[in-house]
Amino acid sequence: MKLVVGLGNPGQGYSNNRHNLGFMCVSHFAKEHGIAFDKKQAQARIGTGDIGGETVVIARPETYMNLSGQAVSRLVKKFSISMDDLIVVHDDLDLPVGRIRIRQGGSAGGHRGIESIINSLGGKEFLRVRVGIGRPAGSGRGASEDAIVGYVLGGFAPEERKVIEQTVPAVSEALECLITEGLDAAMNKYNKEQK
């Protein structure tokens, strides 16, 4: 069994924010596979289905981003998921808009949702599908906390939205590859420089 978790903030007010890209991606992935988020369990909306012969639980935590670990740790426990079978999809400031990177383990990289999951699970060896949102224009790595918060909680600019509309289906393909063919195949296919 695999557990695929998309990170975001619950509520309509956040639905189109950059920080909700994880929600957008898993929602599209679920829809592609005819999976509905028809249950509420462990502080999350979940749907279950079969993808390539593998049982997959797709979840959107109903905690706020910074508390994502509460829901994820409860889901991991409920479904007896190993770190190798947990896939977390999230936005990433350090990747250009629309770039996809798949990896296992690593630091939180300043992402509060990932930090919360690492702290709640007591480990970091879960799989991640990082989806680029870029950084605020001209800010580089020295941007203030307020500038970053304003940026991630803001909506995509029109030109970014065009890129994201292509990226979300690509993330679905990457997730399917990760589930059916494994980590190495998915990394080889999706971590190469994308156009």
Side-chain angles (χ1 to χ4, degrees):
M1 181 183 277
K2 305 281 188 200
L3 172 60
V4 178
V5 181
L7 299 190
N9 284 306
Q12 275 303 112
Y14 294 101
S15 63
N16 292 311
N17 293 352
R18 291 181 179 93
H19 223 16
N20 270 39
L21 189 51
F23 271 14
M24 294 173 205
C25 290
V26 298
S27 295
H28 184 274
F29 182 60
K31 192 174 178 184
E32 287 276 293
H33 291 279
I35 298 171
F37 291 95
D38 55 3
K39 290 192 186 81
K40 187 173 177 181
Q41 290 182 335
Q43 293 179 282
R45 298 292 300 174
I46 68 164
T48 306
D50 181 274
I51 298 172
E54 183 89 52
T55 300
V56 179
V57 177
I58 305 176
R60 293 186 313 224
E62 292 201 316
T63 57
Y64 283 98
M65 177 68 85
N66 297 359
L67 301 173
S68 298
Q70 291 177 3
V72 173
S73 61
R74 290 179 67 184
L75 288 165
V76 162
K77 193 172 178 184
K78 177 172 184 51
F79 294 106
S80 301
I81 301 291
S82 73
M83 288 280 200
D84 289 339
D85 292 325
L86 171 60
I87 303 166
V88 179
V89 184
H90 65 93
D91 61 295
D92 195 306
L93 284 162
D94 292 324
L95 292 175
V97 175
R99 181 71 51 80
I100 300 167
R101 280 284 180 279
I102 299 168
R103 74 173 185 192
Q104 183 167 19
S107 73
H111 194 289
R112 297 280 169 78
I114 294 295
E115 192 178 301
S116 172
I117 293 169
I118 290 171
N119 291 339
S120 295
L121 294 178
K124 54 189 178 186
E125 291 307 305
F126 52 92
L127 304 171
R128 302 142 194 218
V129 177
R130 301 160 54 210
V131 189
I133 59 169
R135 286 188 169 267
S139 73
R141 282 193 162 270
S144 71
E145 183 76 11
D146 286 349
I148 294 294
V149 168
Y151 180 75
V152 300
L153 293 181
F156 289 103
E159 63 276 11
E160 292 173 329
R161 183 149 287 288
K162 286 179 191 160
V163 175
I164 292 302
E165 281 169 4
Q166 295 179 324
T167 302
V168 169
V171 171
S172 283
E173 290 170 19
L175 284 168
E176 186 163 354
C177 181
L178 190 53
I179 290 163
T180 60
E181 298 176 46
L183 178 62
D184 289 344
M187 286 172 65
N188 287 338
K189 191 168 180 184
Y190 292 94
N191 287 3
K192 64 182 187 291
E193 292 301 313
Q194 293 146 344
K195 293 186 173 101

